[in-house]
Amino acid sequence: MKQFLRALFIFHFSFFIFHSVFSQPISKGKFRQLFTQGNLMMLDNFHDTAVKTFLKLYTADPSNANVNYKIGVCYLHLPAERLKAIPYLENAIKQTTGNYLEDEPNEKNAPEEALYYLGQAYHYGYRFDEAMEQFKKYREIIGKWNMNLVKEIDRWTESSKNAKELTAKPVECTITNLGDSVNCGFADYSPVIAADESMLAFTSRREGTGGQTNKTIHDDFFEDIFVCRQGEYGTWKKAKGISKTINTDGNEATIGLSADGQQLYVYRDDAGDGNIYISKLDGNYWDAPYKMEASNVNSKSWEPSACISADGNTLYFVSNRAGGLGGRDIYQCHRQPNRAWSEPENLGPAINTPYDEDAPFVHPDGITFFFSSTGHTSMGGFDVFYSTKVANNVWAAPINMGYPINTTDDDIYFVTSSDGRRAYYSSFRPEGKGEKDIYMVSLPKAFVQSVAILVGYLKNRDGSPIPKNSLVTTKGKDGQVFTSKPNEATGKFIQSLLPMKRYEITIETNNNKIYSDTFFLPQDSSYQNLGRSFFQKTIMTD
């Protein structure tokens, strides 16, 4: 990181010398015109174009603290270029005023708020002591006249303290970019996986269904869902658009996937009223998503994320509806005997904070819960946390997954393999291909209970498609029931089971029981060895 910052400084210095020697002066009228244009662009959140405008003014007057301030603020709003803000904000704080005129082109001073923004830039650059120093200076300036701002500054200071502690004790892991088959030069995020890791679906801002013209006012492509299959040696085949029945000219995003990979939970913004949809895999094709009809799940508020437990009986979702603890909260609903969902329960203060929580994922063990939060002991932006369920709606205190899994930027949409040794998530990192990329985390120690994945195939003797109403039911002696509908094209079914238990498996077609068996899973069962045992097993039907 120090080498990177040194290179950045050299670049900035060279940039300054080049323009000092070769640039032409700008008239006062032109300066005023460009300054006003840049301000308007910032107000409309076009920070990428605004920074180019202010850089032109910088060439004419590099000592102008206000211009340096504007450039620094613009870079802070561009995730891929945040560290570029540091030298400009360092220049800005040399000349600040408490009587700052934001829209006045003749203003050459920077506002005292430049200290606050420099603290943020230092934080993103892992210069935590310097960040806290700037936060302290700005806090002393504003005193107690704005308690909301004081709380915000204190929150940044706390994040810097957390980050300093976490980076001092990095967790043992290997983080790998999933490469060109998955990631591209645009933002890629929100990965979801089947329990056997045979399929990965994710959201991307690359060119998709609507073509080149299907962009937002900020020139970003609308969200589309892409999918890739796992090839030999654990590599991923080239990602493809999932289906035109799912992807449209609007935004579609992955938010959850059932353990068997046959129900995809999709987010659609619905003109600002974001809601949860479900698409079902019909053989080899995905059906058009339908909106979850449960009015207690989707509401007039925003529901951007959801996941389903491996047994299909608990739904976790995110909402900013009234009555929460603040910002976005995580809720749960339980499947009723009539298949309807119960009234939502807020997961409470053990999980939710006055800040934002998002991206829930429950491991197939049924008790290990991963989510992202800007609260708790976050080291900046969204951090990944995990907790364990003690009882129904009773959760242990969340634990930060640690550095380098978490960074000073957003780390979110964390889903784990069934054996807990791998995880997939989206993160912004300097070495990435786009704004956000999807990474795999390899962990020497699992954070989850041992889980076995039963993978089976149901086939007819003559090779014809299996009946549509085929059903696989596995019952544990403790009363837990897992029900799966095999894929009609492949006959494949997947179930997540806990070891040290005896199970009875029953297969029905046309309401007739065609197969039953009992088996015991030993303690050392895992996805790998149980998968091989059942992978080739074929149940023949008449």
Side-chain angles (χ1 to χ4, degrees), residues 41 79 266 275 288:
M41 291 174 189
V266 176
N275 289 298

Side-chain angles (χ1 to χ4, degrees), residues 265-496:
Y265 289 76
V266 176
Y267 168 82
R268 283 183 171 170
D269 57 20
D270 288 346
D273 175 21
N275 289 298
I276 300 167
Y277 286 71
I278 299 175
S279 175
K280 294 183 177 180
L281 186 60
D282 185 3
N284 292 318
Y285 303 95
W286 291 95
D287 291 336
Y290 63 90
K291 184 178 178 180
M292 288 191 67
E293 296 298 330
S295 59
N296 50 357
V297 176
N298 285 322
S299 69
K300 294 297 182 182
S301 298
W302 190 37
E303 284 76 38
S305 296
C307 74
I308 190 79
S309 61
D311 62 8
N313 291 327
T314 305
L315 177 75
Y316 298 92
F317 69 96
V318 174
S319 179
N320 66 347
R321 64 189 61 190
L325 299 182
R328 285 170 258 168
D329 278 6
I330 302 175
Y331 295 79
Q332 69 176 357
C333 289
H334 299 290
R335 186 85 72 178
Q336 305 290 76
N338 63 357
R339 306 298 294 168
W341 291 107
S342 66
E343 288 297 316
E345 299 174 85
N346 189 297
L347 292 194
I351 301 295
N352 294 314
T353 69
Y355 304 94
D356 284 331
E357 279 69 46
D358 207 342
F361 173 77
V362 61
H363 186 265
D365 66 8
I367 64 170
T368 310
F369 187 70
F370 297 87
F371 66 101
S372 289
S373 175
T374 58
H376 297 294
T377 56
S378 168
M379 62 180 283
F382 278 104
D383 273 17
V384 180
F385 294 83
Y386 75 97
S387 176
T388 53
K389 183 187 288 186
V390 179
N392 184 36
N393 211 25
V394 179
W395 299 89
I399 297 174
N400 191 303
M401 289 290 292
Y403 172 84
I405 294 173
N406 288 317
T407 67
T408 55
D409 216 304
D410 287 337
D411 304 284
I412 193 169
Y413 307 116
F414 192 89
V415 297
T416 64
S417 62
S418 294
D419 62 5
R421 294 298 180 91
R422 292 166 304 287
Y424 303 86
Y425 77 129
S426 57
S427 178
F428 173 79
R429 294 170 183 265
E431 72 275 15
K433 299 178 180 297
E435 179 189 321
K436 301 180 188 73
D437 276 4
I438 298 173
Y439 292 82
M440 182 180 74
V441 182
S442 300
L443 298 161
K445 179 182 178 182
F447 286 79
V448 299
Q449 283 192 9
S450 177
V451 173
I453 304 298
L454 179 128
V455 180
Y457 285 84
L458 179 63
K459 296 182 179 180
N460 282 319
R461 283 194 178 95
D462 60 4
S464 61
I466 64 173
K468 287 183 175 292
N469 57 354
S470 301
L471 204 64
V472 179
T473 303
T474 304
K475 296 181 180 179
K477 292 301 182 181
D478 57 358
Q480 195 169 21
V481 179
F482 299 87
T483 302
S484 300
K485 186 177 182 297
N487 182 279
E488 293 174 15
T490 64
K492 182 179 179 180
F493 61 90
I494 302 172
Q495 293 181 342
S496 302

